[in-house]
């Protein structure tokens, strides 16, 4: 869709993308082991919530979407990049509940590590892949093209595909995708009925006990903090959670542990390992309470060792300039490739999904390089 928008005194002929526009191979820029998405124009659509009603259009955006300064929203309303029910409105416009609100913006997606999404196994109605750490499974939040689903469509022409389970963004390993909605429903019914067994491996701090350990404590997830806690004193608080752990190997400093979650709570394996006193050895979110003197700087060696064994995409841009994409005069992220707050320097967790099995099927993923203790 083409629209003309006036911004910063200039008239620009812009092609706006919507979720209907599929990712393309040429949408990606690879630099120094990082996968970037070329910034693109995108229409975000939402419908006014009850709590938004009665606010001016500028106050609404300034209060609810704090990632950009108020001055940007004033300019966006004036230029028509923010609209209500498809119409340009004044800054003083009062929003009513359920109205359609469109925000046309220059979208910068966060970067991820530039590892291949390796296809492990294909069947007529099932696909399994080796998901790299740092890559979300499906479009969510600021991510759309820099996702497993987006990359598979852009680089392998695989669409539609339906992830039948989730892996957190920083977790690597086996991901099962159905090629049809009916096959996805088949797997989900087995998951909901408890017929599926899940196995992960983790590299943890210390010498993990030789005998099987079972963490059977409730978990409470705080969405605001993005962190889970175990609930020991108040057993009725939080959600029931159970994980079984078995030591695979140890070198006296760290251990490789097989993790078998019986339930599926947010950050379950991570917080249960912390509860047992053996957090994942590079998990900054749950490590600090157990190893208080571990510094951020100390993770430089960990980052060097965090390679999963997947192939790194070669650079396709040798120039650090901004010639790879058009600069938008109104954009608060330009001329940088990533959005503000993302420097591209993050590691994957030492937590990896190795196996899913059901009543009559099993899918597996190779171990990452970090699973070998020396």
């Amino acid at each position: 869709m083409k629209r003309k928008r006036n911004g910063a005194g200039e008239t620009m002929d812009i092609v706006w993308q919507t979720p209907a526009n599929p990712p393309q191979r040429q949408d990606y820029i690879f630099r120094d082991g990082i996968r970037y998405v070329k910034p693109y124009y995108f229409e975000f659509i939402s419908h006014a919530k009850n709590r938004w009603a009665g606010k001016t259009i500028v106050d609404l955006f300034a209060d609810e979407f704090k990632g950009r300064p108020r001055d940007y929203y004033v300019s966006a309303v004036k230029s028509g990049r923010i609209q209500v029910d498809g119409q340009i409105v004044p800054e003083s416009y009062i929003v009513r509940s359920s109205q359609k609100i469109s925000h046309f913006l220059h979208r910068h997606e966060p970067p991820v590590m530039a590892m291949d999404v390796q296809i492990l196994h294909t069947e007529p109605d099932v696909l399994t892949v080796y998901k790299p750490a740092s890559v979300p499974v499906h479009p969510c939040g600021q991510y759309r093209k820099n996702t497993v689903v987006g990359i598979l469509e852009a680089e392998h022409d695989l669409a539609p595909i339906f992830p039948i389970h989730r892996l957190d963004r920083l977790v690597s390993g086996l991901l099962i995708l159905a090629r049809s909605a009916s096959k996805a429903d088949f797997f989900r019914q087995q998951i909901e009925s408890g017929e599926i067994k899940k196995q992960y491996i983790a590299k943890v701090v210390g010498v993990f006990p030789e005998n099987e350990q079972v963490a059977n404590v409730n978990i409470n997830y705080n969405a605001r903090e993005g962190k889970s806690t175990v609930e020991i004193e108040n057993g009725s608080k939080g959600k029931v959670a159970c994980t079984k752990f078995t030591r695979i190997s140890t070198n006296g400093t760290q251990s490789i542990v097989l993790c078998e979650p019986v339930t599926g709570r947010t950050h379950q394996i991570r917080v249960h390992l912390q509860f047992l006193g053996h957090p994942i050895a590079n998990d900054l979110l749950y490590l600090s309470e157990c190893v208080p003197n571990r510094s951020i700087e100390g993770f430089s060696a960990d980052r060097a060792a965090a390679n999963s064994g997947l192939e790194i995409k070669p650079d396709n841009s040798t120039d650090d300039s901004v010639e790879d994409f058009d600069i938008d005069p109104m954009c608060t992220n330009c001329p940088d490739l990533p959005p503000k707050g993302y420097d591209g320097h993050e590691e994957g967790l030492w937590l990896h999904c190795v196996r899913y099995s059901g009543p009559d099927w099993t899918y597996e993923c190779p171990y990452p390089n970090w699973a070998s203790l020396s």
Side-chain angles (χ1 to χ4, degrees):
M1 174 177 66
K2 279 194 175 184
R3 293 177 185 262
K4 290 203 173 189
R5 291 282 179 264
N6 188 303
E10 298 180 19
T11 298
M12 302 176 63
D13 198 21
I14 295 173
V15 177
W16 299 100
Q17 295 188 29
T18 72
N21 296 98
Q24 304 289 329
R25 187 180 292 268
Q26 62 268 23
D27 291 341
Y28 300 96
I29 297 172
F30 301 97
R31 289 182 183 168
D32 302 322
I34 303 296
R35 179 193 290 265
Y36 299 92
V37 173
K38 291 181 183 179
Y40 55 99
Y41 291 97
F42 189 78
E43 178 185 4
F44 279 100
I45 298 174
S46 60
H47 288 84
K49 300 176 173 62
N50 288 334
R51 73 169 186 271
W52 296 0
K55 293 185 177 183
T56 69
I57 187 67
V58 172
D59 285 344
L60 187 161
F61 274 87
D63 293 345
E64 297 286 339
F65 306 100
K66 300 181 184 296
R68 291 177 171 81
R70 182 184 183 87
D71 287 348
Y72 165 80
Y73 294 123
V74 171
S75 298
V77 171
K78 287 181 176 178
S79 65
R81 289 199 179 188
I82 291 177
Q83 298 182 5
V84 179
D85 290 334
Q87 301 296 319
I88 297 176
V89 298
E91 301 166 55
S92 58
Y93 182 86
I94 303 297
V95 175
R96 300 190 303 274
S97 179
S98 300
Q99 285 186 299
K100 175 187 171 183
I101 299 178
S102 297
H103 185 192
F104 301 90
L105 82 165
H106 198 227
R107 185 169 183 174
H108 291 238
E109 292 195 28
V112 299
M113 291 190 283
M115 296 177 184
D116 270 332
V117 178
Q118 180 184 338
I119 296 175
L120 299 173
H121 181 75
T122 57
E123 299 173 7
D125 52 3
V126 179
L127 173 75
T128 68
V129 302
Y130 187 149
K131 173 195 164 318
S134 85
V135 184
V137 171
H138 50 72
C140 56
Q142 294 192 69
Y143 298 88
R144 188 171 78 93
K145 298 181 182 182
N146 249 354
T147 61
V148 173
V149 169
I151 292 167
L152 287 173
E153 183 169 10
E155 298 185 351
H156 298 277
D157 197 27
L158 288 167
I161 48 178
F162 305 87
I164 66 104
H165 63 101
R166 62 180 296 245
L167 290 179
D168 287 345
R169 187 176 65 84
L170 294 179
V171 177
S172 62
L174 177 70
L175 180 65
I176 306 170
L177 305 111
R179 302 297 303 274
S180 67
S182 60
K183 190 65 175 180
D185 287 340
F186 165 80
F187 280 117
R188 287 180 186 132
Q189 287 173 13
Q190 292 190 347
I191 291 174
E192 290 171 2
S193 63
E195 297 178 75
I196 289 181
K197 183 177 181 181
K198 301 166 282 187
Q199 294 183 317
Y200 295 72
I201 57 166
K203 181 190 281 190
V204 305
V205 170
V207 178
F208 198 84
E210 186 174 2
N211 297 329
E212 180 185 79
Q213 304 292 301
V214 179
N216 196 3
V217 287
N218 289 11
I219 289 176
N220 187 38
Y221 178 68
N222 186 320
R224 183 178 294 274
E225 296 181 3
K227 186 175 182 178
S228 290
T229 54
V230 296
E231 299 295 340
I232 303 172
E233 296 180 359
N234 187 353
S236 62
K237 188 177 179 182
K239 295 183 177 180
V240 172
C242 179
T243 315
K244 300 176 182 179
F245 299 99
T246 307
R247 190 178 81 191
I248 296 174
S249 62
T250 185
N251 61 6
T253 302
Q254 296 174 328
S255 302
I256 302 297
V257 177
L258 177 67
C259 315
E260 299 177 280
V262 179
T263 52
R265 309 304 181 197
T266 301
H267 296 184
Q268 176 175 315
I269 294 174
R270 298 165 67 180
V271 73
H272 273 173
L273 283 168
Q274 180 198 52
F275 167 72
L276 293 174
H278 298 275
I280 296 172
N282 71 342
D283 191 348
L284 286 175
L285 189 60
Y286 294 101
L287 188 64
S288 57
E289 296 177 20
C290 297
V291 191
N293 295 324
R294 185 64 179 259
S295 67
I296 300 263
E297 288 77 10
F299 275 81
S300 58
D302 292 346
R303 287 193 177 98
N307 183 10
S308 66
L310 290 170
E311 181 181 345
I312 303 294
K313 290 282 191 178
D315 286 10
N316 64 357
S317 174
T318 58
D319 189 349
D320 288 334
S321 72
V322 294
E323 296 176 359
D324 296 299
F325 65 95
D326 294 328
I327 303 299
D328 181 79
M330 287 185 60
C331 182
T332 57
N333 292 309
C334 284
D336 297 325
L337 262 175
K340 294 189 185 306
Y342 292 86
D343 60 8
H345 298 292
E346 68 176 352
E347 59 184 302
L349 280 178
W350 284 334
L351 179 61
H352 180 85
C353 181
V354 293
R355 184 177 299 105
Y356 259 63
S357 56
D360 56 359
W361 55 267
T362 298
Y363 297 112
E364 298 181 332
C365 183
Y367 278 25
N369 290 349
W370 54 254
S372 177
L373 293 175
S374 57

